[in-house]
Amino acid sequence: MSVERRRYSEERRKRLLRRALPVTAGLAVLILVITLLVTGGASPAVTGARRFVAAWERSDYSAMRALITPEAQRRYAFPAFQRAYRAAAGTATATGVAAIGKVRDAPGGAAVPLEFRTRLFGTLTGRLELPMAGSRVKWSPELVFPGLQPGQILNRRSDPPRRAAILARDGRTIVSGSATARVPSGAGSAISGGTGPAATVAERDALYARGFPRDWPVGHGGLEAILETQVAGRPGGTLYAGTRRVASAAPRPAHAVRTTIDLGLESSAQSALAGRVGGIAVLDPRTAEVRALAGIAFSAPQPPGSTFKLITLSAVLEGHIAKPTTPFPVSSYAVIDGVKLSNANGESCGVNVAEGFVQSCNSVYAPLGVRVGARPSTIPAADQMASKLEVGSSAIGQGRVLATPLQMAMVAQTIASGGLERTPTIMPGPLTPPRRVLSIHTAHTIRKLMVAVVARGTGVSAALGTGVVAGKTGTAELESTTGPSATPADKRTHTDAWFTSFAPARSPRIVVAVMLYRAGAGGDVAAPTARQVLAAGLARR
């Protein structure tokens, strides 16, 4: 290469370098600006601490652990890491945590001002010193709460209040006394339930997070369980970080809780149940206030049998799938997916939709259920019904359909109130607005058919006079009652007896639903049981 060419190449290289230098410098400045915008000019320690606390605010313990050093991750597996934070939150009765100021650099890491919202101690504030290695937290268990020293834990001395009394509608005492020595009284003894330690670890942890000792008695069954949060009161106690007192609160006992229970009706329901396994629920049809609960009235769901035809008929009429006068063949069974679904006693019935309801014909209502189809409100869920047979069985209250007497009382209450559904309540007070689930016309049509059930159908043993009681029977098969090995006793021991009703039919004042476990046919056993309670309710003012 000539001297002149070499000189030209050298000058060209210098010109390109001079042009590139400003571009490179500009890119460096741009990168610096972007970094400052993203981090706010913060150090890696502050940036990492912010991310850690942001994940803590979301209770995202997995994201928090991902931001600690590899050494800490090896030492503390995720279950132990998560458990440490949940234990601290339970001890402090914390419901949330948040950063409340600027995260700043501190010797060896970052300082974070925090706010803890708690159930017992109000809002607690503190400064948490996070040791950092670059942008990662050098984590150890004392970092779950401000002010803890290595080896220290957050702990609490609990001070529970006295448990409140539970009262009847008229102010009479149903149960009273301390949580460890409750004393039921009179007719309320059967509905009061009892108290005792929480049954599971999860329940004990939840109790502790409310501020009580883990072994403190809680409601078991009956009103004690239903009203647990209302009668337990708010506990007090003292919170310690190691030996340092952080906060304290005085216990606040709850006031006596008045319920909607009518002790007269409760006594009538208990007498009607007569020690049998089953349940009786009594509602006020105008308000859905619970007047009495006997036995397993709101627990241990069972197949509701033909009382569920109230729901099937509602869907049929509301969906304009058939009319009460729509004809059906007189038959002893219906065939669905090649399987016979027989009437309760193998009797032949039918004629039309209305008569099928009055005589409780499975041969009518199983096919009607198939026409209705599985709907979103169906029990079980619609997407769990894989065949027409499942839908047809559900339409007559069999298959996997389950209900309690309280739930079937709700169905009767909805019809009694002209299609307005209310949520049952055990405590008096402002009522939630009702929800219209049936047209007035449909509700009135079903009411007339329920009156006919008692006047001349399967529910005649519930009658209290002409047109007084509106009801629907149910006989739910738990095991087969037919076949070569079946005996006459199977009709009783293999079936639950149901009846749901209201009275007076035209101006309802009481709703009664009865379920008797393995007791026989609904019309033979549950209907006369309901009659006793209906009569007692109508006699009261």
Side-chain angles (χ1 to χ4, degrees):
M1 179 182 292
S2 67
V3 174
E4 289 183 1
R5 261 189 98 170
R6 282 199 301 272
R7 186 181 298 120
Y8 173 78
S9 297
E10 184 65 23
E11 289 177 356
R12 185 171 181 273
R13 186 184 66 81
K14 289 179 180 179
R15 285 197 302 272
L16 290 173
L17 183 60
R18 285 194 297 271
R19 291 174 184 172
L21 282 173
V23 173
T24 303
L27 286 173
V29 171
L30 180 61
I31 291 170
L32 177 62
V33 169
I34 291 173
T35 302
L36 290 173
L37 287 173
V38 171
T39 66
S43 68
V46 168
T47 300
R50 285 174 179 166
R51 291 172 179 165
F52 186 81
V53 173
W56 193 357
E57 291 175 336
R58 304 190 304 271
S59 298
D60 189 346
Y61 302 117
S62 179
M64 291 172 70
R65 187 172 175 274
L67 294 168
I68 69 177
T69 62
E71 293 80 8
Q73 289 182 8
R74 286 191 293 270
R75 186 171 182 182
Y76 301 101
F78 178 72
F81 180 86
Q82 177 178 252
R83 190 162 52 247
Y85 279 96
R86 287 183 171 173
T91 299
T93 68
T95 59
V97 62
I100 55 171
K102 190 173 183 180
V103 180
R104 299 181 183 277
D105 286 299
V112 184
L114 290 176
E115 173 185 274
F116 290 82
R117 299 178 297 278
T118 75
R119 295 181 179 89
L120 262 61
F121 307 107
T123 299
L124 305 177
T125 59
R127 176 185 167 98
L128 183 65
E129 304 284 343
L130 286 176
M132 306 293 293
S135 63
R136 289 182 174 265
V137 179
K138 297 164 67 174
W139 194 84
S140 52
E142 66 272 9
L143 297 179
V144 296
F145 195 83
L148 286 173
Q149 300 302 311
Q152 291 184 335
I153 62 169
L154 196 66
N155 60 89
R156 184 184 78 219
R157 177 183 59 79
S158 298
D159 186 11
R162 183 177 176 83
R163 195 171 179 89
I166 298 175
L167 310 178
R169 185 182 179 212
D170 61 4
R172 284 186 287 168
T173 299
I174 293 176
V175 62
S176 61
S178 67
T180 55
R182 299 290 272 178
V183 181
S185 60
S189 60
I191 194 179
S192 63
T195 58
T200 67
V201 172
E203 289 171 345
R204 290 192 288 274
D205 287 346
L207 181 66
Y208 184 69
R210 286 169 51 197
F212 292 91
R214 283 189 170 86
D215 60 352
W216 193 249
V218 296
H220 287 291
L223 297 177
E224 295 279 26
I226 294 172
L227 301 172
E228 166 64 26
T229 57
Q230 285 85 3
V231 299
R234 200 192 80 170
T238 305
L239 184 67
Y240 297 92
T243 58
R244 179 175 62 88
R245 179 178 171 279
V246 176
S248 64
R252 294 184 185 176
H255 296 293
V257 176
R258 189 185 294 264
T259 69
T260 60
I261 296 297
D262 182 316
L263 286 178
L265 284 175
E266 181 64 33
S267 179
S268 297
Q270 296 293 343
S271 296
L273 194 56
R276 292 172 291 183
V277 178
I280 300 176
V282 184
L283 300 180
D284 184 321
R286 298 155 294 192
T287 62
E289 290 181 342
V290 177
R291 293 287 181 252
L293 295 170
I296 51 175
F298 60 94
S299 58
Q302 296 288 309
S306 291
T307 57
F308 197 79
K309 287 172 184 168
L310 288 165
I311 296 173
T312 302
L313 178 58
S314 298
V316 167
L317 297 179
E318 289 287 287
H320 304 290
I321 292 163
K323 299 177 181 179
T325 56
T326 299
F328 263 82
V330 175
S331 178
S332 62
Y333 62 86
V335 178
I336 299 177
D337 284 348
V339 177
K340 286 184 179 180
L341 289 180
S342 298
N343 294 323
N345 296 304
E347 72 278 11
S348 293
C349 58
V351 180
N352 56 32
V353 169
E355 196 62 23
F357 182 86
V358 173
Q359 302 301 331
S360 201
C361 299
N362 295 341
S363 58
V364 173
Y365 278 80
L368 279 173
V370 173
R371 293 189 198 177
V372 171
R375 296 192 174 192
S377 60
T378 301
I379 303 173
D383 59 5
Q384 294 177 11
M385 295 194 188
S387 68
K388 292 179 179 179
L389 179 60
E390 284 193 85
V391 177
S393 297
S394 298
I396 58 172
Q398 295 284 174
R400 289 178 290 162
V401 175
L402 298 174
T404 64
L406 180 58
Q407 288 171 321
M408 295 316 298
M410 289 171 59
V411 175
Q413 181 273 325
T414 300
I415 296 164
S417 64
L420 294 175
E421 179 187 70
R422 290 187 182 274
T423 301
T425 178
I426 199 79
M427 295 178 66
L431 299 174
T432 57
R435 184 169 68 100
R436 178 160 294 284
V437 295
L438 296 176
S439 68
I440 294 176
H441 181 265
T442 294
H444 286 180
T445 298
I446 297 174
R447 183 199 68 197
K448 291 177 183 177
L449 294 179
M450 291 175 71
V451 169
V453 167
V454 177
R456 58 182 180 79
T458 55
V460 291
S461 57
L464 288 170
T466 304
V468 175
V469 177
K472 181 68 189 78
T473 58
T475 305
E477 192 174 84
L478 305 179
E479 300 171 49
S480 177
T481 59
T482 60
S485 61
T487 67
D490 291 345
K491 292 287 186 182
R492 179 174 59 82
T493 61
H494 290 185
T495 57
D496 286 349
W498 284 84
F499 191 73
T500 189
S501 57
F502 55 87
R506 289 190 173 275
S507 183
R509 300 203 316 267
I510 183 171
V511 171
V512 176
V514 175
M515 186 279 295
L516 299 172
Y517 182 68
R518 292 185 178 274
D524 295 338
V525 185
T529 300
R531 181 181 183 277
Q532 291 180 243
V533 185
L534 288 164
L538 294 179
R540 296 181 71 79
R541 291 291 182 264

